[in-house]
Amino acid sequence: MLILVANLGSTSFKYKLLDMSGDFESANASPDSRVLARGAVDRIGEPISQCEVIVTRSHQGETFREETQMPVPDHGVAVQACLDQLTHPENGCLKEANEVAAIGFKAVHGGRKSGTFVVDDEVLEAMDEMSAAAPAHNPPYIAAMKLLRQRFPELPLVAAFETEFHDTISPERRTYAIPAEWTREMQIQKWGFHGSSHRFIAERAAEVLGRDDAKIISCHLGGSSSLTAIDSGKSIMTTMGMTPQTGVPQNNRVGDFDAFAIPLIMQRTSQSLEEVLQTLASQGGLKGLSGGMADLRDIESAASEGNADAKLALGVYTEEIRRHLGGMMVALGRLDAIVFTGGIGENSDVVRAAVSSGLEGFGIELDASKNDGMRGEGSLHTESSKTQILVLPTNEEWIVAKRSLRALAAQ
């Protein structure tokens, strides 16, 4: 059973091909060993697009890598280019394209269809209802799915929505203090996102800790960031709300923000509501705070050289993480582990140190020598720390592939 896991952008298509045959649910199942190929198509819709593929198990038994340029006018052509690469008679890993059982999508917001579903008209309609809440994600996914259904009618498409993992959060923690009919009729509530990543961390942390009842806080820190409190493998609180724009600051998204400041901004700048929202969604976050730097590596470098804006950006980011961390500790009652994952969580010892600083009174003690330069999976806590501090690389594609197979089996 081969699953092609797709991650779409408005002008990009990234994928992994995973072999899900055998007992993929086993604790001994190795996600990395299941990857047959991975690749990406960038600049879709432009005159020339960049196509890359890395085949780890080619027909010749060797790793093969190729970068090409070609016109890719839409996502349907991108998928066809992907299948052509994977079925290459010498360098591919498939004999025929129909060996792929399904394409699994790390879909973002399905609203009332929170879960994992084989894509049909009802799923697309539910996604469209939430396009205003996820304008950067839902429209390109809907367009690509419609195109692929037309072009590859025999190939099942599966949408694994990022909100699904957070369905276990109680109403008290996911309901806004707004008129009740808004919640009931317009589905305005705290949905939560990064579900595939937090679910993987829940599963991997249980293995590392050797217990299924672990209470952990998963810190997915990257271009977009969120924290989730996990009790016995289930999400009980998360930082993102109705949209992926909320929670801690993102690389260029504002994060939590007082909506009542918007009329003042409109008045002072003469911008329309749409223009202000676009600014908050693309020029806020770390980019806005630092004076134009969205990449945390650039911000850390500038801060170390004394740049005041960069220092402030780094401080706001880590303090917001700490604020949410404290609330989640209260919700959990006890804390077995803090897990750092995502591009920043896995690679920034500066952020990990700042987030963990001064928490000794709560039984959380970071070992600076372990933290310095830590990359990949490992532990960062001292021997006397009551709470473990872990770095666990995430694997969202593995979760999407597993959930896609379950959705196919349920048909």
Side-chain angles (χ1 to χ4, degrees), residues 62-250:
E62 300 175 354
T63 298
F64 171 76
R65 178 171 183 167
E66 181 181 55
E67 293 185 19
T68 59
Q69 294 182 333
M70 60 180 286
V72 182
D74 55 50
H75 285 85
V77 175
V79 172
Q80 186 63 64
C82 156
L83 294 174
D84 290 344
Q85 291 170 325
L86 296 179
T87 56
H88 189 281
E90 294 180 359
N91 302 319
C93 56
L94 302 177
K95 292 181 180 179
E96 297 179 351
N98 62 12
E99 292 180 57
V100 175
I103 300 179
F105 294 88
K106 189 169 72 71
V108 175
H109 210 331
R112 58 185 169 84
K113 295 292 287 187
S114 183
T116 303
F117 306 93
V118 175
V119 175
D120 57 16
D121 291 342
E122 185 181 359
V123 170
L124 293 172
E125 181 181 333
M127 290 178 67
D128 189 49
E129 291 171 2
M130 289 294 133
S131 287
H137 303 90
N138 278 23
Y141 269 81
I142 294 169
M145 287 173 175
K146 287 181 176 179
L147 192 62
L148 294 174
R149 289 177 76 198
Q150 295 174 355
R151 191 160 296 182
F152 306 102
E154 302 302 318
L155 181 59
L157 309 180
V158 180
F161 288 108
E162 292 287 81
T163 56
E164 180 180 11
F165 184 58
H166 305 294
D167 287 348
T168 51
I169 295 177
S170 69
E172 293 81 3
R173 291 181 179 146
R174 64 186 309 157
T175 304
Y176 289 110
I178 56 176
E181 59 268 22
W182 292 5
T183 303
R184 289 192 297 265
E185 297 172 9
M186 292 185 277
Q187 306 171 67
I188 298 177
Q189 64 179 45
K190 301 170 188 176
W191 288 95
F193 302 92
H194 292 144
S196 296
S197 178
H198 291 303
R199 187 186 296 275
F200 180 85
I201 293 304
E203 294 179 0
R204 181 61 187 141
E207 294 171 357
V208 171
L209 298 171
R211 55 191 300 179
D212 294 328
D213 64 343
K215 294 176 182 284
I216 70 171
I217 297 175
S218 171
C219 304
H220 177 104
L221 310 178
S224 65
S225 301
S226 69
L227 279 66
T228 294
I230 299 170
D231 187 350
S232 303
K234 296 181 179 180
S235 172
I236 67 164
M237 179 182 286
T238 194
T239 54
M240 283 184 170
M242 175 68 185
T243 77
Q245 304 284 351
T246 50
V248 301
Q250 318 293 320

Side-chain angles (χ1 to χ4, degrees), residues 44-66:
I44 294 173
E46 296 188 14
I48 294 295
S49 302
Q50 308 292 326
C51 305
E52 178 188 37
V53 62
I54 300 174
V55 176
T56 55
R57 300 186 205 169
S58 68
H59 297 312
Q60 298 177 333
E62 300 175 354
T63 298
F64 171 76
R65 178 171 183 167
E66 181 181 55

Side-chain angles (χ1 to χ4, degrees), residues 29-45:
S30 173
D32 291 339
S33 69
R34 302 287 185 131
V35 179
L36 301 182
R38 64 183 184 273
V41 180
D42 291 319
R43 305 192 180 204
I44 294 173

